[in-house]
């Protein structure tokens, strides 16, 4: 798989797609519908976690019921997808992806965003051809990325020891560790630096730095 077998697995939301403000806007719009208090970007980054119902537990003091979760999740996605079309790629992302592909290295995309919405959006941003595989969430599960990572790497037939996951959430590091891969976490998305640091993997402030660190890990 590519030069020296090195392979990057990229996250989408908050990593390659600069959509954090859209996420906050959608979250607060959904909260307004549900009678919950709005939150700031700083609060979101400190409290956000996967599975997402646990995030709502931190906000509400209890896990939402199944009925409440259905309403919350539906409201969030309705507001988010209205905003997502206006989000751009993170600064330098397109150039990094193109340069890595041109150098003979492979990379793929793994996201918890719904697959049916993910692929058209990636394609509209003109970067779909940079990836050897793209996988979004195919069901309504609220689980984190670990199980998806197992299936993603199995489909690629890439040995985990040659893989680095680049994402913006602690769950990306958990998923990488679950399969025996490395991870680098980026501070520009859903988590604060302090919460990312608790994951015990390298934390960086730009995607360019993330790629540089990833090169040193495998």
């Amino acid at each position: 798989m590519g030069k020296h077998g090195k392979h990057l697995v990229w996250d989408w939301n908050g990593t390659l797609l600069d959509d954090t403000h859209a996420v906050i806007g959608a979250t607060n719009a959904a909260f307004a519908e549900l009678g919950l208090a709005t939150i700031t970007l700083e609060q979101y980054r400190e409290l956000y976690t996967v599975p997402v119902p646990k995030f709502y537990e931190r906000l509400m003091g209890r896990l939402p019921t199944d009925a409440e979760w259905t309403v919350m999740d539906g409201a969030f996605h309705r507001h988010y997808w209205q905003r997502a079309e206006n989000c751009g790629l993170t600064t330098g992302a397109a150039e990094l992806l193109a340069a890595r592909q041109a150098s003979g290295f492979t990379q793929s995309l793994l996201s918890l965003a719904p697959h049916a919405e993910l692929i058209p959006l990636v394609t509209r941003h003109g970067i779909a051809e940079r990836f050897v595989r793209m996988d979004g969430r195919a069901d309504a599960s609220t689980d984190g990325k670990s199980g998806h990572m197992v299936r993603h790497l199995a489909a690629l037939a890439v040995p985990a020891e040659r893989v680095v996951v680049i994402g913006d959430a602690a769950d990306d590091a958990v998923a990488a560790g679950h399969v025996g891969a490395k991870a680098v976490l980026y501070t520009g998305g859903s988590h604060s630096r302090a919460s990312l640091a608790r994951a015990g993997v390298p934390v960086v402030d730009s995607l360019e730095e993330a790629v540089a660190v990833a090169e040193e890990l495998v």
Side-chain angles (χ1 to χ4, degrees):
M1 288 294 297
K3 187 184 292 185
H4 309 307
K6 294 181 180 181
H7 181 85
L8 295 185
V9 176
W10 290 92
D11 174 57
W12 178 242
N13 300 103
T15 304
L16 292 175
L17 185 68
D18 184 15
D19 68 345
T20 301
H21 288 285
V23 169
I24 298 298
T27 298
N28 282 328
F31 282 3
E33 288 187 19
L34 300 164
L36 298 174
T38 59
I39 62 172
T40 65
L41 173 62
E42 290 72 22
Q43 288 172 317
Y44 181 91
R45 282 178 163 162
E46 192 57 38
L47 295 174
Y48 183 75
T49 190
V50 174
V52 179
K54 289 285 188 180
F55 169 57
Y56 286 100
E57 181 181 28
R58 292 179 176 183
L59 294 169
M60 301 168 63
R62 62 175 176 82
L63 277 171
T65 65
D66 289 345
E68 287 172 331
W69 167 248
T70 298
V71 173
M72 290 172 172
D73 190 49
F76 170 79
H77 282 98
R78 186 173 68 255
H79 290 289
Y80 172 77
W81 290 108
Q82 291 172 357
R83 293 165 168 79
E85 294 295 333
N86 296 319
C87 295
L89 296 177
T90 299
T91 300
E95 293 80 6
L96 283 168
L97 294 171
R100 184 171 179 81
Q101 183 185 42
S103 296
F105 293 103
T106 59
Q107 52 203 341
S108 58
L109 182 67
L110 179 61
S111 174
L112 293 179
H115 188 81
E117 282 82 17
L118 172 69
I119 303 306
L121 187 56
V122 175
T123 301
R124 285 197 292 276
H125 280 287
I127 58 171
E129 67 275 12
R130 306 301 181 199
F131 306 110
V132 295
R133 185 177 180 88
M134 299 184 289
D135 286 318
R137 181 169 52 81
D139 55 33
S141 169
T142 60
D143 294 339
K145 196 175 277 186
S146 293
H148 299 283
M149 187 67 70
V150 172
R151 293 186 289 273
H152 185 71
L153 294 193
L156 289 168
V158 180
E161 63 269 17
R162 305 306 298 169
V163 171
V164 182
V165 178
I166 298 179
D168 70 315
D171 186 57
D172 292 301
V174 171
H178 181 72
V179 296
K182 302 291 195 301
V184 181
L185 299 180
Y186 164 61
T187 60
S190 61
H191 283 36
S192 67
R193 172 175 276 278
S195 62
L196 291 178
R198 293 193 285 270
V201 302
V203 177
V204 300
D205 297 316
S206 72
L207 296 187
E208 183 177 15
E209 186 181 359
V211 171
V213 171
E215 291 294 345
E216 297 300 319
L217 291 177
V218 294

